[in-house]
Amino acid sequence: MGGTQVQEKMGLLIELQELDREMIKTRENRREFETEQASLAAELETVQSMLDSLVDEIEALQAQHKELRQALEIEQANIEKAEGRLPAIKTQKEYVAVLKEVDTAKKLNKEIQDRIEAKNAEIEVLDKDRQEKSGEVETIASRVKSRNAEIASSLADYDQVLGESDGKRKVLLDQIPSSMRKRYQMLLDRRGGLAVVEARRGTCLGCNMHLPPQLFNSLLRRNEIYTCPHCNRLLYVHQEQ
C-alpha cells in the first residue's frame, strides 16, 4: 500500500472515529434522557401508590364504620324490643332480668357509638391526607407530562441525528478494507469507543504511554498504518509534526 493510499485510509479511519465518538456521546445523552424519563415515572408511581394506599385504608375504615352502624341499629332494636316487653311483665324477677338486659344493651350501644366516633376521626384525618396527596399527584403528573413532552422531542432529535450518522458511517465503512473494518470495530468495542488516536511528541494519546522512537519516526513517514504497542490502538500523526 502506497503512502497516498495509507493516508487516504487513515483519513477515513480518523473521520470514522470522530463520527463514532459523536454517536457514542449522542447515545449517552439519549440514555440520560431515558433515565430521567424512568425516574419521573417512578416518582409519580411512588406518590400515586401512596394515594392508592390511603384510598384503600379509607375504604376499609368506611366498611368497618358501616358494620358498626349496622350493629348499633341491631342493638337499638333489641333495646326497644326489650323495653316494649316491660309493661306486660308479671313478675319482679322477670322485670329485673329485662331491665338488666336493657342496661347491658345500652352499654354495648355506648361502646359501639364510641367506636363509630373513633372511626369517623380516623377517616377524617386520612381523608385530609388523601386530599393533600391527591393534589400532590396532580402537581407531579402535570410536571411529568410537561417534562416528558420535552424529553420526547429531544429523543426524536437524537434519533434523527443517529439515523443520519449511521448512514454516513456505512458510507465510510464501505471505503475501508474488510480486515481493517473488523480490526477497527474490535478496538472500538474493547477500548471504550476509542480505536484511532493521535501520536504526539512520541506519546500515544490513547494510553499516554511513550512510543519507541523508531515507531514514532515510522509514523511520521506515513507509509504504513501502525498500532500502539501498549494499547493496540491505531495511530496517526498530524501533518505539522
Side-chain angles (χ1 to χ4, degrees):
M1 189 184 298
T4 302
Q5 288 180 307
V6 169
Q7 291 179 45
E8 288 176 354
K9 298 306 179 187
M10 182 52 71
L12 291 170
L13 287 169
I14 293 171
E15 188 176 352
L16 179 61
Q17 176 67 85
E18 286 302 313
L19 182 61
D20 275 331
R21 291 188 72 177
E22 290 173 4
M23 292 178 72
I24 289 170
K25 182 60 178 176
T26 299
R27 291 192 186 98
E28 288 175 352
N29 290 338
R30 195 184 189 287
R31 281 194 293 273
E32 287 178 4
F33 276 114
E34 288 177 328
T35 299
E36 184 182 354
Q37 259 187 338
S39 177
L40 289 170
E43 179 186 4
L44 181 57
E45 183 179 355
T46 298
V47 181
Q48 182 64 56
S49 178
M50 293 170 67
L51 175 60
D52 292 342
S53 295
L54 282 171
V55 170
D56 291 342
E57 194 171 353
I58 289 172
E59 288 178 352
L61 286 172
Q62 288 174 335
Q64 294 169 17
H65 181 275
K66 183 179 179 180
E67 291 175 359
L68 288 170
R69 292 294 304 179
Q70 291 172 343
L72 183 63
E73 290 173 2
I74 291 171
E75 289 305 320
Q76 186 62 40
N78 289 338
I79 291 172
E80 292 173 359
K81 183 179 179 180
E83 289 178 335
R85 286 159 44 204
L86 288 174
I89 292 174
K90 303 298 184 181
T91 66
Q92 180 69 20
K93 183 178 180 181
E94 186 180 359
Y95 189 84
V96 171
V98 171
L99 285 178
K100 185 176 181 180
E101 180 183 336
V102 170
D103 184 58
T104 299
K106 285 183 177 180
K107 288 180 179 179
L108 181 57
N109 256 17
K110 180 63 169 61
E111 291 177 5
I112 294 174
Q113 287 175 341
D114 290 343
R115 292 174 63 189
I116 288 174
E117 289 177 5
K119 293 295 178 187
N120 282 335
E122 286 185 73
I123 291 172
E124 184 178 351
V125 170
L126 288 178
D127 192 55
K128 184 178 179 181
D129 290 343
R130 180 196 61 78
Q131 293 178 34
E132 292 177 356
K133 194 60 65 178
S134 180
E136 187 177 346
V137 167
E138 290 180 6
T139 300
I140 293 175
S142 176
R143 174 168 57 81
V144 168
K145 182 179 179 180
S146 176
R147 182 56 183 154
N148 274 338
E150 296 173 352
I151 291 175
S153 177
S154 295
L155 290 177
D157 290 342
Y158 283 136
D159 288 340
Q160 181 178 349
V161 169
L162 287 171
E164 293 171 355
S165 297
D166 193 53
K168 295 177 183 177
R169 191 176 194 274
K170 288 177 181 177
V171 171
L172 288 171
L173 285 173
D174 287 342
Q175 302 175 67
I176 299 172
S178 176
S179 59
M180 186 60 70
R181 285 202 305 266
K182 291 178 181 177
R183 188 176 185 182
Y184 170 84
Q185 189 61 52
M186 180 189 69
L187 288 168
L188 196 72
D189 295 338
R190 293 183 179 179
R191 298 299 181 185
L194 194 59
V196 181
V197 296
E198 180 188 354
R200 187 186 303 168
R201 298 188 184 90
T203 300
C204 168
L205 298 189
C207 61
N208 295 316
M209 297 291 288
H210 288 295
L211 301 171
Q214 186 177 352
L215 173 59
F216 190 72
N217 290 332
S218 298
L219 281 169
L220 293 174
R221 287 194 290 270
R222 298 183 179 84
N223 56 10
E224 192 174 334
I225 295 177
Y226 295 96
T227 61
C228 172
H230 307 291
C231 66
N232 294 318
R233 291 183 175 94
L234 302 170
L235 297 171
Y236 71 90
V237 290
H238 281 303
Q239 187 68 38
E240 56 267 21
Q241 292 193 72

